[in-house]
Every structure is written in structure tokens, then in C-alpha cells.
């Protein structure tokens, strides 16, 4: 019998080991961390460079600076004006993209294997030789402002702005990364230069690579292009001042729509929080697991009130937001919100169904391989692991961490995080009579 | 030298993209089909069940019916209680969902490869023995109305595009929204749903697509026992009327609460019929790439960057439709930009493309990127299966994947000029304007 168990155990381990790709790491002389997962099934390479220059570093009243910096670095360089840069990248089929999230400014590159040297030339040129062309800055700024005005048609954008502000006020996470029409107008080229000078540094940054390449081929190519890049950022990648919880509020935002968007929010956890896995499983149970989640069952399946209802939390360098959101015909908003609150109350009261919890865990564990079955997904995971300094066996240990979450853990998480009175509510839609 | 490098690049990618050789197919006596592409790089599989039924198969007054099934298929069958399908898939670590278009309905699951047989069994069971209860339907149709409110009614841009399609076509079913008009959704009843199910959910309309860590022979045996064992029910040819040629320009103004205007044009153009119009369809695809693909897209350069007539611009062509495609281009305008100026600038670019051949550089750039995109698409099981399923369902055939890339390679500058001149003309266009209406204060 023991032998049988051992065999079964071995079979399971082997299966898991096959499914979890190994992350290789290296550090360049300038301190840049490189993470690689080899995948030789498609002749392509994808990568993401994550730099500690996200929107939380935007200057005061200048929300959108990091996003504008990303747009400028991506647009042209000191060597290439906008047109010749666009022509060259397109001619070589180099897909170079940039954008800003809350913590990081990200540069991504996707190329066919044969074009990797040109791709790295492009990435390093965009990174190290910014053009700072004032005419292009003016054009990009005008277009960003126009886009920000247009985005005010979207209930999701209005809700995100209101939620960020309720949770974080004037601090770094208190605005959406894309900024507002007003804040974008106030940005000057020197603001972008300052952010670049202070934060675009190799130390604390991470380059995540996945695809048809080996570390021994990759490193010389990187060293050749990036060794002149040196230094560490003024503000360390992971240092954030703690968030002071604000008074819970209910806020209405007027929009002439037929539906109301209802968004509940509270402060969640930092990426480094030891409660990540229990909270992760609890959220999947609550509203993160699509049709398997209890919110979807209660609000959509049983009552037909919504097309979708979801919950998610975003672990960041600091404590990120925890959000529950739904859209329903305006006259049903209150009823739907009550159903959500009742679900929260029942979980706080300890009503956790062990069978549903097992199903939640089975879904997460069984679906683990799918979370990394493409280069794009692997790059995203590695960038997260690298930037937030997660242990390198994070992927290997993921399944057992999920598996070890118990009913008692979920009860504890629910008690700590789902008290309805701790949650803000934003409602976007027709103004309440 | 440049030219030589260019060709090496394209040829190299070409060899890596060629996909048809890896596609294995089987036909069953009852008309069901199976298409498999084995990929053993990860222990997962994508299972997609494609149906030759979509919005185009609805009768007038019954729009939205095909999409109703995307919801009802999860609401129970003889063997499975409502919601149990998704729960079972979730418990095996899978994800399931569905999508509906004018031309097809598809149900898909990503699962651990070892679960493929079980998934096929469940798919076939609900396909053949769907419950279609009145109570479940009355709840689900309300969910669909919420979906429509969210996606269309409350989004002024989608709403304008819906009006634009309806105004552009007289006969072709692409004039109706797949989700259905709200007026029709309010009147649909369970008898409509049952009749539609009986008529369309038959083996002859099914193509099963599996991509991933599977063995073709094994999957074939599994499908033979499930979809392949269903009764052989005859189906009628699908509704595919010939759209009359436009007789002049049309316009539709849509007044809705919005913050800034959008101007869109749309024109009926041919879709790809392998062996019949390869040059024409491929040239339209290349022309559209030159206009709107990548960073150096012509419309972006001329209309946005140089002339400042919009803050964003786009264009699109789908060669894999049935009967025709509604080619489109649109601009998103800032508050102070004029819709008339934008239209003038847009047509100037299109007219010039019809008068003068594009450069070799533009042509080569477009081709390289279209091939590269195919390489990148190989990275996703979902996209690979979707392309195969789609080509099967619209009547092109998955085996023709490589022929499309060959057709792209063969396009010349004069082909591009010719199709633009022939099809992208103002007198064939319907123009749609989203005009912001001042918000009603309550």
C-alpha cells in the first residue's frame, strides 16, 4: 500500500513538474534582473521590461505623466524621428509597445526569432535614447486629452476614477494611470524628463523573456546593448508609504445611461502580504471565478439581474484595491447591491460551503497550466514575480499553496475583508431621484 | 540587399507558419466534421464545437435568437442540471464560454488534455438533449437584455455602429445586430427557441475543433461515439442573399448623449472565395493593412499626425465572412475637430490610393507584418482553433489556411490600387455620424 501511495505521489509530482516551466535568472552588471522561460514550439520571442515608473510616481496634479512618458519613449528617439521610427519598426515587423500601470512603466517586445537582434536594438534605443521632440509631445498631449474627454462616456472609467479617489485620495494610487483631461493638460515635457531621470534605471527593474531563445544566447545580446545603462532609481521599486484607511463613502456619478454601474471597493493587500493565497482563493470563491463564483450564482443565475458581476483585488507594491462591480438596469441597482451585501454578510457569518471551496480550489489548480500556456502569459507572470521579488519557486509552489487553504482560512479572510460596512460604493448612471 | 533580406525573412516565417500540413480531419456519416491540430508543448487542449448557425439564420422579428443559445446551452439538459455544465468544467480546472456571430455559434473549453473525452461527451449530450425550460428562459432573456444595455444601448459608439450597419445594407443579414433588437428580445418566447433548436442544432451543422496535447485517432474515436452517432438530419442551404450594389452615398446621423463625435464609413466589399477571387480579397486585406496596420499606418500618419483631423483612426476588413464584408474606417474626433474636415481628409487618402500605386516598401511592410501576425497567433491555442473553426464554418475550409498566406504574398501594388479604386469609392459608402447630444439633466 505504501508503495502504491509513493507511486501515485511520484506520478503526481512528475505530472506537476512537467506542467510548470522553470524560470532561469541572471543579473546584468548594471543590476538589471533577467528572467527567462524557454519555449521552443513557436519561432518567436516575447519580453517585457518592467520599470519602477508607474502612475504612482506621477507628479502631484499631473496624473497621466507615466502614461505620457511611455507614449513619448515609444513614439520616436534621438536617432529616429517619429516617421522613420515607425517605418523601421514596421518594416522589421518589431512589435514594440509601452504603457504605464500603477507601479510600473512597461515596455513590451514581440518578434519572430529571426528578428530578435533588431528587436533588442529597438528596445534599447527607445529606452536609452529618448528624443524629447516638443512638437511630438504637443501632438501626443492633445490626443491624450481628447481621448480622456471621450472616455468620460464610459461608466467603467468614471467608476474607476471615483473609486481610486475614494480609496487613496491624493496619494500615488489615487488616480487612474491614464490621467484626466485636466491633469494631462498640465503636464510639461520637463515633468516627463524628470520621471525618466529619476526612475528609468536598471536596478529594481526586471526583464522577463519567454520564447525560442536560450539564456546563453540572450545575455551577450543584452549586455552589448544595455551595459551603458546604469544606476538606481530615486524611489525604490517597492517602497510605499502605508495607506491610511479613509472614511467609508457612497458616491453617485451622473451619466445618462439606462443601466447603473455599482462598484464596491475597499483597500486590499500588498503583493508581499502573507495572506495572498487565502485571499486569492476567497476572492475566487466570492466573485473571481466567473460562473463558479457565489456572486454570479446569486445575482445572475438565481435572479437574472445582471449580465456579469465580478470581484477582484490587485496586490501592488503597497495595498492595492479590492473591488466588486456589476451593471444592471438602473431600477434594479439597489436590489442588486443588497444581494451583494447579503452574500458578503453570509461569508462574514462563516457560511462557507466546503464543497464549493473544494470546487474553487479544483478550478484554480486544474487551470494552473492554462495560466502559462503562451509566451505572452509567461512574460506577464515572470515580470510580476521578478518585479515584486517573489520567490523563484513561486510557480512550483503555487498549486500546493492554493491546495493548503482551508475553510478556516476563508472564514478568517471573509471576516477581515468582507464586512459590508467597510466598503465604499460608487454608483454611475442616471441621477437618483 | 534589402530586398534579399526581406525575402529571406518572409520565406523563413512562411515555413514556420505553414499550418495546413498539421491539420487532420475526419467526416462522419451524419455530416458532423472533426478538425484536429496536435500540439504537445503543454498538457492542455482547446475544444471548440462550431455550428453553422448564427444571426443570419433568424427570421425577421426574431433577431437575437441564435445568441439566446449561447446562454441556454448552460441551462441544463437531460443529464445536467442548470449550471452543472460549467461547474463540471470548472472542477476539472477548465474554462468554458461561447460566442455567436452572424455566421456561426461556437462553444469552447480549455481543459487539461486528459479531460478531452469527458468534455466531448458533455458537449454532445447538451447539444442533443437541451432542456429549454420556460422558467430558465424567462430569467435568461432578462440577462440578455442587460447584456444589450451594457454593450450597445449605453455605449454611444457601439450604438452608432449598429445604426450604420442597418443603414448600409438592404438585404444582407449583417444589417441586424447579433444580440438582437431590443424590440425583438422583448417578444421572443420559449416556443421560438425550441423551434430554432430543432431546426439548427443537428449533426450536419457541427464541426468539432481540437487543438492541443491530443492524439488524432483517439479524438476521432471519441467524436464518432458522440457527435458522429447522432441522427442524420437534412439541413437547407443557409440564407445568403445577394446584396444589391449601392446606388449612391448614404448618411445616418445618430444623436446620443456623448462627449465627442465619431465619423465612420462603411462599404460592402467581397469576401475570400478560395480559387475564385484570391487576388481581390488578398489585395483588400493588404490595402487595409497599409491604411490602418502598425505604427506607420497611412491614415494615422496623414489624418492624425499631419493634418490633425482626428485623435484616433482605424479601418478594418474581414475576408472570412459569408457573402460580403462591411469594410469600415472611422475617426474619433476631439471636441474642436470638424466632422466635414475629417471626411475630406479620409477620402483624400483613399482616393490617392486608388490613383497611385503604393510603394514597394509599403507593400513589403504589410506582407511581413501579416505573416508575422500569423506566427504570433500560433502562440495561442484559442486563436489557432478559432481560425480553423471559422474557416470550416463559413465554407472556406481549414486546409486553405496556407492558401490565404500565399495569396497575400502574391499581391502587387497594382492589385492594391485596383481594389481600392473599384470598391472604396464615396458613392458606394454609407457614412455614420455620432453627434453628441447635450446631456439631459434630471
Amino acid at each position: 500500500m505504501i508503495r502504491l501511495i509513493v507511486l501515485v505521489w511520484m506520478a503526481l509530482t512528475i505530472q506537476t513538474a512537467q506542467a510548470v516551466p522553470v524560470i532561469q535568472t541572471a543579473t546584468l552588471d548594471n543590476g538589471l534582473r533577467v528572467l527567462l522561460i524557454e519555449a521552443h514550439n513557436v519561432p518567436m520571442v516575447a519580453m517585457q521590461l518592467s520599470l519602477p515608473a508607474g502612475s504612482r510616481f506621477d507628479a502631484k496634479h499631473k496624473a497621466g505623466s507615466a502614461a505620457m512618458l511611455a507614449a513619448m519613449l515609444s513614439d520616436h528617439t534621438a536617432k529616429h524621428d517619429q516617421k522613420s521610427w515607425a517605418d523601421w519598426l514596421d518594416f522589421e515587423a518589431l512589435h514594440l509597445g509601452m504603457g504605464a500601470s500603477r507601479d510600473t512603466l512597461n515596455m513590451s517586445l514581440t518578434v519572430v526569432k529571426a528578428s530578435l537582434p533588431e528587436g533588442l536594438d529597438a528596445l534599447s534605443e527607445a529606452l536609452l535614447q529618448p528624443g524629447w521632440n516638443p512638437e511630438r509631445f504637443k501632438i501626443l498631449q492633445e490626443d491624450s486629452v481628447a481621448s480622456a474627454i471621450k472616455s468620460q462616456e464610459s461608466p467603467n472609467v468614471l467608476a474607476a476614477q471615483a473609486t481610486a479617489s475614494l480609496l487613496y485620495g491624493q496619494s500615488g494610487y489615487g488616480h487612474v494611470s491614464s490621467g484626466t483631461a485636466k491633469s494631462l493638460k498640465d503636464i510639461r515635457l520637463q515633468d516627463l524628463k524628470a520621471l525618466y531621470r529619476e526612475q528609468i534605471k536598471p536596478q529594481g527593474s526586471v526583464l522577463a523573456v519567454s520564447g525560442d531563445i536560450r539564456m546563453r544566447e540572450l545575455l551577450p545580446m543584452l549586455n552589448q546593448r544595455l551595459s551603458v545603462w546604469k544606476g538606481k532609481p530615486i524611489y525604490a521599486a517597492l517602497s510605499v508609504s502605508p495607506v491610511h484607511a479613509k472614511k467609508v463613502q457612497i458616491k453617485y456619478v451622473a451619466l445618462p445611461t439606462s443601466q447603473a454601474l455599482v462598484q464596491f471597493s475597499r483597500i486590499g493587500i500588498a503583493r508581499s502580504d502573507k495572506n495572498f493565497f487565502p485571499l486569492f482563493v476567497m476572492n475566487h470563491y466570492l466573485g473571481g471565478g466567473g460562473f463558479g463564483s457565489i456572486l454570479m450564482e446569486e445575482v445572475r443565475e438565481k435572479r437574472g439581474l445582471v449580465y456579469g458581476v465580478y470581484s477582484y483585488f490587485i496586490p501592488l507594491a503597497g495595498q492595492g484595491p479590492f473591488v466588486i462591480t456589476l451593471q444592471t438596469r438602473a431600477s434594479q441597482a439597489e436590489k442588486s447591491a443588497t444581494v451583494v451585501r447579503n452574500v458578503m454578510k453570509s461569508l462574514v457569518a462563516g457560511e462557507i460551503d466546503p464543497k464549493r471551496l473544494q470546487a474553487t480550489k479544483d478550478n484554480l489548480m486544474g487551470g494552473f497550466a492554462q495560466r502559462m500556456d503562451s509566451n505572452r502569459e509567461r512574460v506577464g507572470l515572470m515580470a510580476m514575480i521578478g518585479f515584486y521579488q517573489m520567490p523563484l519557486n513561486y510557480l512550483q509552489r503555487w498549486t500546493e499553496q492554493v491546495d493548503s487553504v482551508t475553510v478556516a482560512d476563508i472564514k478568517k479572510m471573509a471576516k477581515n475583508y468582507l464586512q459590508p460596512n467597510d466598503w465604499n460604493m460608487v454608483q454611475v448612471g442616471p441621477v437618483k431621484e | 540587399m534589402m530586398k534579399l533580406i526581406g525575402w529571406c525573412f518572409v520565406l523563413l516565417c512562411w515555413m514556420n507558419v505553414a499550418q495546413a500540413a498539421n491539420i487532420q480531419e475526419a467526416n462522419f456519416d451524419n455530416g458532423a466534421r472533426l478538425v484536429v491540430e496536435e500540439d504537445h508543448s503543454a498538457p492542455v487542449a482547446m475544444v471548440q464545437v462550431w455550428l453553422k448557425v448564427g444571426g443570419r439564420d433568424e427570421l425577421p422579428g426574431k433577431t437575437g435568437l441564435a445568441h439566446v443559445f449561447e446562454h441556454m446551452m448552460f441551462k441544463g439538459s437531460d443529464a445536467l442540471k442548470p449550471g452543472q455544465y460549467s461547474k463540471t468544467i470548472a472542477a476539472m480546472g477548465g474554462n468554458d464560454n461561447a460566442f455567436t456571430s452572424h455566421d456561426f455559434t461556437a462553444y469552447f473549453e480549455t481543459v487539461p488534455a486528459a479531460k478531452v473525452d469527458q468534455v466531448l461527451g458533455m458537449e454532445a449530450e447538451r447539444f442533443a438533449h437541451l432542456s429549454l425550460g420556460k422558467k430558465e428562459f424567462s430569467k435568461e432573456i432578462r440577462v440578455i437584455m442587460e447584456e444589450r444595455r451594457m454593450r450597445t444601448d449605453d455605449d454611444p459608439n457601439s450604438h452608432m455602429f449598429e445604426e450604420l450597419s442597418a443603414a448600409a445594407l438592404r438585404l444582407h443579414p449583417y444589417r441586424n445586430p447579433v444580440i438582437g433588437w431590443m424590440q425583438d428580445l422583448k417578444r421572443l418566447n420559449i416556443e421560438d427557441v425550441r423551434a430554432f433548436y430543432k431546426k439548427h442544432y443537428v449533426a450536419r451543422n457541427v464541426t468539432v475543433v481540437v487543438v492541443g496535447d491530443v492524439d488524432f485517432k483517439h479524438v476521432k474515436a471519441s467524436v464518432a461515439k458522440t457527435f458522429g452517432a447522432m441522427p442524420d438530419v437534412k439541413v437547407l442551404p443557409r440564407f445568403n442573399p445577394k446584396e444589391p450594389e449601392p446606388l449612391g452615398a448614404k448618411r445616418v446621423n445618430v444623436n446620443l448623449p456623448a462627449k465627442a463625435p465619431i465619423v465612420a464609413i462603411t462599404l460592402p466589399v467581397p469576401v475570400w472565395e478560395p480559387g475564385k477571387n484570391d487576388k481581390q480579397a488578398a489585395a483588400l486585406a493588404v490595402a487595409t493593412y497599409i491604411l490602418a496596420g502598425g505604427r506607420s499606418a497611412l491614415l494615422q500618419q496623414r489624418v492624425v499626425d499631419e493634418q490633425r483631423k482626428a485623435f484616433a483612426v482605424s479601418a478594418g476588413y474581414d475576408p472570412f465572412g459569408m457573402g460580403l464584408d462591411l469594410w469600415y474606417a472611422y475617426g474619433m474626433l476631439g471636441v474642436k475637430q470638424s466632422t466635414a474636415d475629417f471626411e475630406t481628409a479620409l477620402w483624400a487618402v483613399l482616393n490617392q490610393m486608388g490613383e497611385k500605386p503604393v510603394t514597394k516598401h509599403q507593400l513589403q511592410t504589410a506582407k511581413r507584418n501579416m505573416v508575422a501576425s500569423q506566427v504570433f497567433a500560433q502562440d495561442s491555442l484559442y486563436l489557432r482553433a478559432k481560425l480553423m473553426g471559422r474557416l470550416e464554418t463559413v465554407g472556406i475550409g481549414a486546409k486553405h489556411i496556407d492558401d490565404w498566406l500565399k495569396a497575400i504574398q502574391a499581391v502587387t501594388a497594382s492589385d492594391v490600387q485596383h481594389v481600392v479604386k473599384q470598391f472604396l469609392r464615396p458613392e458606394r459608402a454609407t457614412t455614420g455620424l455620432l453627434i453628441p447630444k447635450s446631456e439631459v439633466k434630471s
Side-chain angles (χ1 to χ4, degrees):
Chain A
M1 184 62 188
I2 285 176
R3 194 166 156 207
L4 185 66
I5 291 168
V6 170
L7 278 175
V8 170
W9 178 81
M10 274 179 65
L12 283 172
T13 340
I14 288 163
Q15 205 181 19
T16 318
Q18 272 177 346
V20 183
V22 176
I23 299 176
Q24 304 168 46
T25 60
T27 304
L28 303 190
D29 290 342
N30 63 9
L32 176 70
R33 256 183 112 198
V34 180
L35 278 68
L36 168 71
I37 292 177
E38 290 183 25
H40 301 285
N41 58 326
V42 184
M44 64 180 285
V45 179
M47 64 185 73
Q48 180 180 318
L49 176 62
S50 289
L51 303 138
S55 61
R56 77 180 175 93
F57 301 100
D58 288 349
K60 213 166 190 178
H61 307 304
K62 295 192 175 183
S65 303
M68 281 292 295
L69 175 60
M72 274 295 273
L73 295 179
S74 168
D75 185 72
H76 61 276
T77 69
K79 263 169 74 183
H80 286 92
D81 66 12
Q82 187 265 333
K83 190 166 181 323
S84 62
W85 179 242
D87 278 349
W88 178 58
L89 293 182
D90 281 358
F91 188 71
E92 299 290 345
L94 311 173
H95 290 208
L96 181 70
M98 283 187 216
S101 66
R102 291 171 176 86
D103 284 335
T104 54
L105 188 147
N106 301 306
M107 304 177 72
S108 68
L109 174 72
T110 308
V111 291
V112 294
K113 164 89 192 266
S115 301
L116 182 59
E118 290 80 6
L120 290 172
D121 287 345
L123 184 113
S124 54
E125 186 177 324
L127 176 70
L128 302 177
Q129 302 180 59
W132 307 126
N133 179 315
E135 284 86 43
R136 285 302 301 170
F137 172 70
K138 186 168 173 279
I139 286 176
L140 293 173
Q141 186 177 33
E142 280 173 11
D143 290 350
S144 303
V145 169
S147 172
I149 292 171
K150 183 78 184 160
S151 76
Q152 299 297 296
E153 292 167 1
S154 157
N156 288 298
V157 171
L158 294 174
Q161 285 172 337
T163 292
S165 165
L166 284 185
L167 291 177
Y168 300 101
Q170 295 294 315
S171 68
Y173 298 139
H175 58 270
V176 296
S177 300
S178 52
T180 64
K182 186 177 178 316
S183 69
L184 289 163
K185 268 184 208 157
D186 290 340
I187 296 170
R188 297 290 169 265
L189 195 49
Q190 62 258 34
D191 296 320
L192 308 190
K193 288 182 182 174
L195 182 56
Y196 178 85
R197 200 171 51 238
E198 290 171 356
Q199 293 303 108
I200 303 295
K201 301 291 178 196
Q203 290 179 39
S205 296
V206 171
L207 180 69
V209 185
S210 176
D212 191 9
I213 182 81
R214 291 177 206 287
M215 192 63 109
R216 64 169 187 273
E217 297 170 84
L218 180 65
L219 285 180
M221 285 198 270
L222 292 176
N223 272 316
Q224 192 194 336
R225 289 166 180 85
L226 298 177
S227 58
V228 292
W229 185 36
K230 290 198 162 44
K232 66 175 184 188
I234 302 275
Y235 306 102
L238 301 184
S239 77
V240 195
S241 15
V243 182
H244 302 293
K246 300 195 166 32
K247 199 171 160 259
V248 170
Q249 291 187 53
I250 293 177
K251 190 176 175 185
Y252 294 93
V253 181
L255 193 67
T257 45
S258 59
Q259 283 189 325
L261 185 152
V262 181
Q263 188 161 88
F264 295 92
S265 63
R266 60 157 294 152
I267 301 282
I269 61 168
R271 180 53 80 172
S272 56
D273 197 302
K274 64 179 185 348
N275 282 326
F276 173 80
F277 279 97
L279 193 63
F280 177 64
V281 175
M282 191 275 274
N283 178 62
H284 208 72
Y285 182 103
L286 172 71
F291 284 100
S293 299
I294 191 160
L295 282 175
M296 197 70 124
E297 183 167 307
E298 292 296 325
V299 190
R300 172 171 163 163
E301 301 295 284
K302 283 194 187 160
R303 295 176 178 83
L305 290 169
V306 296
Y307 175 66
V309 51
Y310 314 97
S311 70
Y312 58 89
F313 64 102
I314 307 176
L316 297 169
Q319 293 163 278
F322 194 166
V323 172
I324 300 173
T325 192
L326 64 88
Q327 277 164 279
T328 186
R329 197 171 64 204
S331 60
Q332 302 179 144
E334 216 163 294
K335 188 175 171 190
S336 306
T338 304
V339 178
V340 171
R341 284 201 189 93
N342 287 341
V343 168
M344 293 162 90
K345 277 182 205 161
S346 74
L347 300 194
V348 170
E351 293 168 26
I352 307 294
D353 175 3
K355 267 195 204 152
R356 182 187 281 276
L357 175 59
Q358 192 54 50
T360 300
K361 285 159 54 172
D362 288 346
N363 178 241
L364 285 168
M365 293 186 290
F368 182 58
Q370 286 172 45
R371 287 173 183 260
M372 58 192 88
D373 66 355
S374 70
N375 286 306
R376 184 180 50 80
E377 289 166 306
R378 288 187 287 268
V379 161
L381 274 171
M382 276 187 288
M384 182 280 290
I385 291 169
F387 188 81
Y388 293 107
Q389 298 178 9
M390 298 285 106
L392 280 177
N393 63 358
Y394 179 84
L395 298 178
Q396 272 72 20
R397 289 208 56 208
W398 195 93
T399 304
E400 68 178 82
Q401 301 260 35
V402 168
D403 198 23
S404 68
V405 174
T406 62
V407 171
D409 294 331
I410 301 290
K411 282 185 182 170
K412 195 173 150 199
M413 288 301 110
K415 214 165 182 176
N416 286 349
Y417 288 97
L418 294 185
Q419 304 280 358
N421 292 339
D422 293 346
W423 289 68
N424 300 293
M425 194 185 90
V426 170
Q427 186 169 324
V428 184
V431 179
K432 225 181 165 197
E433 297 291 321
Chain B
M1 184 61 188
M2 194 65 123
K3 199 171 166 190
L4 186 68
I5 294 169
W7 272 112
C8 288
F9 172 93
V10 169
L11 286 173
L12 187 72
C13 288
W14 172 250
M15 290 185 296
N16 291 320
V17 181
Q19 199 183 346
N22 302 324
I23 295 174
Q24 303 182 76
E25 301 173 335
N27 292 309
F28 301 92
D29 291 342
N30 62 0
R33 266 177 72 67
L34 168 68
V35 182
V36 173
E37 191 186 356
E38 294 183 25
D39 178 338
H40 303 286
S41 56
V44 292
M46 164 64 68
V47 177
Q48 297 186 347
V49 177
W50 284 74
L51 279 170
K52 288 179 187 160
V53 55
R56 67 165 60 239
D57 305 292
E58 295 155 354
L59 296 172
K62 307 287 182 193
T63 60
L65 204 41
H67 169 257
V68 164
F69 283 83
E70 193 186 308
H71 290 249
M72 292 306 290
M73 284 284 274
F74 298 89
K75 292 290 152 192
S77 56
D78 285 1
L80 297 164
K81 285 190 296 215
Q84 201 187 340
Y85 188 89
S86 294
K87 278 195 183 122
T88 312
I89 299 289
M92 56 177 78
N95 292 308
D96 61 330
N97 216 323
F99 46 82
T100 313
S101 86
H102 290 98
D103 302 332
F104 51 77
T105 313
Y107 301 89
F108 64 94
E109 292 84 20
T110 316
V111 289
K115 302 287 184 184
V116 167
D117 286 351
Q118 191 187 343
V119 170
L120 285 168
M122 284 168 57
E123 277 285 17
E125 197 278 331
R126 70 170 175 172
F127 183 92
H129 306 290
L130 199 59
S131 300
L132 296 177
K134 196 173 174 179
K135 203 173 131 209
E136 290 295 337
F137 170 74
S138 64
K139 210 158 48 189
E140 214 50 34
I141 195 76
R142 286 193 289 137
V143 170
I144 293 168
M145 288 184 212
E146 292 300 339
E147 185 180 358
R148 189 192 147 87
R149 285 186 187 103
M150 189 179 87
R151 290 192 201 278
T152 310
D153 296 351
D154 286 347
D155 180 344
N157 310 303
S158 306
H159 217 157
M160 189 276 279
F161 277 102
E162 183 180 84
E163 292 292 311
L164 180 64
S165 304
L169 297 169
R170 281 155 285 178
L171 290 182
H172 196 281
Y174 289 170
R175 68 196 306 278
N176 291 317
V178 172
I179 196 158
W181 298 103
M182 189 61 105
Q183 291 75 3
D184 286 351
L185 294 179
K186 284 180 177 165
R187 296 177 56 156
L188 288 181
N189 61 53
I190 189 65
E191 294 311 323
D192 296 326
V193 179
R194 287 174 184 152
F196 195 85
Y197 175 69
K198 201 172 162 199
K199 188 171 170 188
H200 296 291
Y201 276 63
V202 297
R204 214 157 267 284
N205 279 336
V206 173
T207 304
V208 177
V209 180
V210 184
V211 180
D213 190 14
V214 295
D215 170 62
F216 171 69
K217 279 186 193 149
H218 182 90
V219 177
K220 187 179 164 186
S222 186
V223 174
K225 279 186 274 182
T226 52
F227 287 97
M230 289 176 188
D232 182 359
V233 179
K234 294 276 173 288
V235 292
L236 295 170
R238 300 185 70 186
F239 180 57
N240 200 12
K242 193 165 167 51
E243 177 70 18
E245 179 63 15
L247 299 175
K250 286 188 269 190
R251 294 183 82 78
V252 49
N253 291 351
V254 177
N255 298 283
L256 285 169
K259 296 289 180 189
I262 281 194
V263 183
I265 61 166
T266 189
L267 309 95
V269 298
V271 288
W272 184 40
E273 297 174 71
K276 285 189 190 162
N277 68 346
D278 297 9
K279 192 187 261 197
Q280 193 178 52
L284 272 167
V286 171
T288 309
Y289 189 90
I290 293 170
L291 284 165
R295 292 163 172 261
S296 53
L298 207 53
L299 286 174
Q300 172 74 26
Q301 275 186 13
R302 297 272 185 283
V303 181
V304 178
D305 290 331
E306 291 168 17
Q307 300 172 22
R308 308 296 293 141
K309 304 300 182 196
F311 72 84
V313 62
S314 188
Y317 167 58
D318 180 357
F320 306 140
M322 287 176 75
L324 60 82
D325 181 52
L326 274 181
W327 189 95
Y328 69 86
Y330 69 86
M332 301 178 79
L333 275 56
V335 188
K336 288 180 187 158
Q337 285 163 328
S338 129
T339 56
D341 287 356
F342 172 77
E343 283 184 63
T344 307
L346 171 65
W347 281 111
V349 174
L350 294 176
N351 291 340
Q352 198 199 0
M353 219 171 162
E355 295 304 324
K356 233 178 101 183
V358 295
T359 64
K360 270 187 189 160
H361 185 83
Q362 286 174 313
L363 191 65
Q364 207 171 350
T365 298
K367 290 180 183 181
R368 283 174 160 211
N369 279 281
M370 291 164 94
V371 173
S373 294
Q374 285 293 318
V375 177
F376 301 150
Q378 295 290 305
D379 195 26
S380 155
L381 295 184
Y382 171 76
L383 290 181
R384 280 153 74 178
K386 192 172 177 182
L387 180 60
M388 292 198 289
R390 223 182 136 199
L391 293 180
E392 280 296 318
T393 308
V394 301
I396 290 173
K399 285 270 188 192
H400 284 289
I401 288 178
D402 295 353
D403 296 337
W404 177 245
L405 288 174
K406 280 182 202 153
I408 298 284
Q409 290 304 329
V411 169
T412 65
S414 104
D415 294 337
V416 172
Q417 185 186 348
H418 188 73
V419 290
V420 171
K421 200 178 170 77
Q422 186 180 358
F423 294 109
L424 306 185
R425 298 199 316 267
E427 66 273 20
R428 300 185 74 251
T430 305
T431 305
L433 260 62
L434 169 66
I435 302 167
K437 191 166 81 173
S438 51
E439 287 168 31
V440 186
K441 301 262 189 305
S442 58

